[in-house]
Amino acid sequence: MGPDPAVAACRLAVRRSVADLPAGALVLVACSGGADSLALAAAALWIARRTRLHVGVVTVDHRLQDGSGERAAGVAGWARECGAVPAEVLAIELGTTGGPEAAARSGRYAALDAAAERHAAAAVLLGHTLDDQAETVLLGLARGSGSRSLAGMARTRGGYRRPFLAIPRSVPEAACAALRLNPWRDPHNADSSYARARVRAEALPALERSLGPGIAPALARTADLLRADADALDGWAANALLAARCPDGLDVAELAGLPAAIRSRVLRRAAVAAGVPAGRLTARHVADMAALVTDWRGKGPVSLPSSYEARRQCGFLRLSDRRPAGPDPEER
């Protein structure tokens, strides 16, 4: 007999995700011990035994709960017994920027980036599922975000790959049951103080009751469509920024001739390139910069995060840091 259908689906998803990697490449699986990432690690290790890829498992200890270190060590121990090399715990100290969810996400990715670099990994696999994608789209809608945010998570971005992004959460859960794995159930996933937990427990079920089944797949399809649109618009904006950029700043005439959707992307890219923190640059900031192009009546500079400003002068839009320059180290 063949494997359980859920196990087979997980293995097939991983095989397709890593099919382009060269023989001998190392793939790291980020495994929290939850059902999604545990099934992902099990599938990747199965693939490794039948191909010339190498698979390691890393688990991040956020130190947010009592016993987190022991749980992380248990995941690493299981991975080691299954043949994962490396199999290690990444303990992190969380910051406070953006709240607990954002701080945990930033700390986690920083730790995974460092592990991938340290081990020269060709890819890092993440266990996000179709249901996670649907939740991400709903959270973006609630924030009033643009198409890039509503596009959700990409199947491949940089060194990160999400093999399960087209698979419902029920599939890796069933795979764990078939393989007699005992996944950890993170209490944060049921903590209503977290926005994602509320979407999972309340918003999506309410939509299913009101509109019928299939909401999560529909939201995931919407993300795929919006990502294709956003990629195209971002490519256009990158070229438009090159055309508008001059030694004196951004050519206002070039900016004024762009469609609003492209102009806003150009202005955002220019601000981030000048040093404005991307995470603090809001739609309001971008709209204020756009007004310097399309509705300028001698208006003064627009304030941007981290002491930056945008100013229109002599037909150019200039982005600068208002902070006084420090003394030249050579003159001290």
Side-chain angles (χ1 to χ4, degrees):
M1 293 179 61
D4 178 272
V7 173
C10 290
R11 291 172 178 173
L12 179 60
V14 172
R15 184 186 291 276
R16 287 174 172 170
S17 181
V18 301
D20 63 313
L21 297 179
L26 171 66
V27 176
L28 292 180
V29 180
C31 183
S32 67
D36 302 341
S37 60
L38 200 60
L40 177 64
L45 288 164
W46 186 89
I47 295 294
R49 290 192 290 271
R50 287 154 180 82
T51 66
R52 297 177 65 185
L53 292 177
H54 302 292
V55 170
V57 173
V58 292
T59 182
V60 178
D61 178 11
H62 297 84
R63 301 178 181 178
L64 290 174
Q65 301 163 341
D66 292 339
S68 65
E70 290 77 6
R71 282 192 296 272
V75 171
W78 167 82
R80 199 171 296 114
E81 291 174 2
C82 293
V85 179
E88 63 185 37
V89 175
L90 310 176
I92 62 174
E93 295 289 344
L94 295 185
T96 58
T97 303
E101 289 178 276
R105 183 169 55 253
S106 297
R108 180 167 60 251
Y109 280 105
L112 292 174
D113 285 344
E117 183 175 359
R118 184 169 64 254
H119 294 293
V124 178
L125 306 187
L126 304 174
H128 298 113
T129 66
L130 179 147
D131 297 84
D132 294 310
Q133 183 77 302
E135 292 161 8
T136 299
V137 173
L138 279 182
L139 288 167
L141 282 170
R143 290 192 296 265
S145 302
S147 60
R148 175 54 68 190
S149 179
L150 298 181
M153 296 174 284
R155 285 179 173 80
T156 300
R157 184 167 185 175
Y160 290 99
R161 303 185 181 200
R162 296 178 171 91
F164 289 175
L165 207 56
I167 292 179
R169 185 176 291 132
S170 58
V171 172
E173 289 175 347
C176 284
L179 295 170
R180 294 184 173 83
L181 299 175
N182 185 27
W184 173 57
R185 301 197 178 277
D186 186 350
H188 283 167
N189 290 335
D191 186 345
S192 61
S193 65
Y194 292 95
R196 185 174 288 273
R198 294 194 299 273
V199 168
R200 181 173 301 180
E202 302 169 21
L204 274 173
L207 287 172
E208 293 274 358
R209 289 192 299 270
S210 299
L211 302 176
I215 294 298
L219 288 169
R221 286 195 302 274
T222 298
D224 288 340
L225 293 170
L226 286 171
R227 188 176 308 106
D229 290 348
D231 287 346
L233 291 171
D234 284 347
W236 184 354
N239 291 330
L241 177 57
L242 290 175
R245 184 172 279 153
C246 304
D248 292 324
L250 300 177
D251 188 323
V252 168
E254 285 280 349
L255 296 175
L258 296 171
I262 303 303
R263 182 166 50 245
S264 63
R265 283 171 166 79
V266 169
L267 292 171
R268 180 176 179 82
R269 283 171 171 264
V272 171
V276 179
R280 295 176 58 193
L281 189 64
T282 67
R284 181 72 264 168
H285 291 126
V286 175
D288 288 344
M289 285 192 289
L292 292 177
V293 175
T294 61
D295 190 30
W296 184 66
R297 297 183 179 88
K299 182 182 177 181
V302 168
S303 294
L304 301 174
S306 293
S307 301
Y308 282 84
E309 69 176 19
R311 177 190 298 272
R312 176 167 172 165
Q313 190 173 15
C314 300
F316 294 96
L317 195 68
R318 295 189 172 103
L319 294 155
S320 58
D321 190 347
R322 296 191 305 271
R323 289 172 295 190
D328 188 335
E330 298 296 329
E331 296 178 358
R332 291 180 180 174

